[in-house]
Structures are given as C-alpha cells and as structure tokens.
Amino acid sequence: MSSEPREAGAPATLRQAAIEALRAADLDEKVERTNLACRLWFGRRLGLHAPHDPALPDRPGRPAEPVLVSPRTVKRRSVHTETGRIALIHALAHIELNAIDLALDIVARFASERVPRSFFDGWMTVALEEAKHFRLLSRRLESLGSHYGALPAHDGLWQAVEATAHDLGARLAVVPLILEARGLDVTPSLLEKLLEVGDADTAAILEIIYRDEKKHVAIGAKWFRFLCAREGRNPAQRFQELVRASFRGDVKAPFNDRARAEAGLTPTFYRSLSPLSS
C-alpha cells in the first residue's frame, strides 16, 4: 500500500470504501464514491479490510424514486415509440444501478475470503464500469426529456444478494453467470431493433455495455473456476447445484452460446438448467 498520507475522511480500506458507496442514497454520490474507491484501490492506497470497517447494510442506499414494484406489474417496453424507448432505457438504467451495488457488495461481503488480491481488482473494475453504464443511460434519459426515477422499477435483482449472502460460490454462480450472462443473450437483438428505428445514440451505449458485460461474465467464470479447483469440484456440476439451490427463476433460452463461451461459460454449465433443454 502507498505511504502517501490519506486525506481527512478518506476511507482506509477497500471494504470501507465499498460500503460507503453502497450506502449512498444520492446516486451522483454513489457513482463518485465508486470511482473514488477504484482510484484509491488501484493506486494501492487502501488496505483490504479492518475490524473498524462500517457494517454492511441490508440494502443499498436509494433515493425516494423510482417507486419499486413487483416485476409482474412492470409493463413491456417497445422500441417503436419514444415513450417505449424511454421506458426501456429507464429499465436498463435500473439494472445498471443494481449492478453497481452487486459489485460493491461482493467486494465488501467477501473481503475476508481467502482469494488473491486480483479478485478484488476484477470486481472493482466491474463496479467502475457499471457506474459508467448507469451514468451513460441516465444522461440519455435526460436528453430525451426524462430522468432516472421517473418511472416505476422492480426490485427483483437485489433478491440475488439475499439468496447468496452465505456463499461466494453461489454469488458468482447467480450474479455474473446467470444475471449478467442473460445480458449477453438479449442485447444483440435489442441493438438490432434500436438501429432499425434509428436510435443510434442508445444503440451506441448498448454496444459499450455488451462489450463490458462479456468481460464481467469472464471475471465471474474465472473466479468460479478458481473456487472449484481449490475445492476439487467439477465446475459445471457445482454451478448447476448452486443455481438450483440459490436462484429463484428459470435459466431462459435462447442462449448466445458464442458470447458465453468467449467469456468462459460453455453450454455444459447451463443447458441442462433450461426448461427448453432436451
């Protein structure tokens, strides 16, 4: 760690910095604290964790809006009208906001796990890129006369934290290798639709997100395989066990097998979990 003096009030550990960003209810502050945590960590100016670190919150900080509703009540979003595209971008921004907090949570919750320092390098990179995605989508909403928080959003993503809080392997199986991998499946067709209706600006943002998501799934697959190798387990079999135990939902086809494989997630992991597999 660097011997440079810390600024007054600056976090002393990565766990503290991640928790402070996780707790922030003001979303500009959340993004800034995430960026600060990354700068300090990659500048080797933080320890990993300490006994005096603040407590991990049960839920991340959030503003009063958007109103959170059941996923079943969120309307389908069409790209063929501006109103529909605003609703779509809002939904994507909500996903990316949750993704910031999911990355911060894995760093803070598992800071004492017996893993190499590069594990935390990977997840802080994810947090930094999710913050970039959220800011890009928020600015796109503003350019269309709306803003994040203007529409209801669902609370389904944070359930993954609660279901996998007990086990790093389960967290890796469910968050990057189920939830993020789903983005690899659906984003290419969504990009095509946006380009068909002439929304090149939103499509350009999704291109960035798609490229980064592939990296995030690869980080998840790398560390999931690391844990399995350390425990002497078959990665695909262990993945299926953990998903059946910790994921509340279907592993939905169709799959972008090529993008998934490029990220280290081969069909032997997920095909047998899909209701459509034969």
Side-chain angles (χ1 to χ4, degrees):
M1 190 168 77
S2 170
S3 59
E4 293 179 32
R6 288 190 298 115
E7 296 176 13
T13 68
L14 179 62
R15 188 171 191 273
Q16 179 189 352
I19 289 172
E20 288 175 353
L22 195 59
R23 284 177 164 179
D26 179 279
L27 301 184
D28 288 334
E29 180 188 354
K30 185 183 292 288
V31 169
E32 290 306 319
R33 284 188 176 275
T34 299
N35 292 341
L36 173 63
C38 289
R39 286 197 304 273
L40 294 175
W41 176 249
F42 287 112
R44 300 313 187 216
R45 296 176 62 188
L46 294 175
L48 184 53
H49 61 90
H52 58 264
D53 288 339
L56 190 65
D58 292 333
R59 296 185 62 81
R62 287 287 186 273
E65 294 179 326
V67 175
L68 297 179
V69 298
S70 166
R72 292 186 294 274
T73 67
V74 177
K75 295 179 181 178
R76 292 181 63 85
R77 296 157 297 260
S78 168
V79 301
H80 296 286
T81 65
E82 184 169 291
T83 301
R85 288 195 297 278
I86 287 172
L88 171 67
I89 297 164
H90 192 280
L92 294 172
H94 184 67
I95 290 169
E96 298 300 326
L97 173 59
N98 276 274
I100 301 170
D101 287 324
L102 288 166
L104 293 170
D105 185 88
I106 199 172
V107 167
R109 189 176 298 274
F110 299 104
S112 58
E113 188 80 17
R114 188 169 55 91
V115 290
R117 184 185 179 98
S118 55
F119 173 88
F120 301 100
D121 291 349
W123 291 108
M124 289 311 295
T125 297
V126 173
L128 184 69
E129 291 177 347
E130 305 294 17
K132 174 185 68 179
H133 301 163
F134 176 72
R135 186 161 271 176
L136 286 169
L137 291 164
S138 296
R139 288 173 177 166
R140 180 62 181 143
L141 283 172
E142 290 164 7
S143 76
L144 294 170
S146 187
H147 64 276
Y148 177 71
L151 299 171
H154 72 76
D155 197 32
L157 288 172
W158 200 248
Q159 293 174 358
V161 167
E162 297 162 352
T164 60
H166 62 291
D167 180 37
L168 177 57
R171 175 63 60 86
L172 293 171
V174 170
V175 174
L177 303 187
I178 292 288
L179 300 180
E180 284 239 51
R182 184 64 181 153
L184 300 183
D185 302 332
V186 302
T187 302
S189 62
L190 185 54
L191 268 166
E192 286 182 15
K193 291 175 184 176
L194 287 167
L195 291 171
E196 284 171 7
V197 298
D199 191 349
D201 291 336
T202 304
I205 296 171
L206 261 64
E207 288 275 12
I208 294 168
I209 293 174
Y210 181 67
R211 182 186 66 231
D212 289 345
E213 273 180 342
K214 197 179 295 185
K215 187 196 311 180
H216 302 171
V217 175
I219 290 168
K222 169 187 173 179
W223 291 110
F224 185 79
R225 291 178 183 277
F226 169 87
L227 292 182
C228 290
R230 189 169 70 184
E231 298 167 4
R233 296 177 182 270
N234 177 288
Q237 290 178 2
R238 183 59 177 159
F239 174 76
Q240 292 158 18
E241 292 168 1
L242 290 169
V243 170
R244 290 187 177 109
S246 302
F247 183 63
R248 312 173 186 175
D250 293 331
V251 180
K252 297 177 182 177
F255 301 110
N256 185 343
D257 290 326
R258 179 175 178 177
R260 284 168 169 254
E262 288 171 354
L265 189 61
T266 55
T268 54
F269 277 73
Y270 54 84
R271 281 285 178 185
S272 65
L273 295 169
S274 172
L276 299 181
S277 63
S278 55

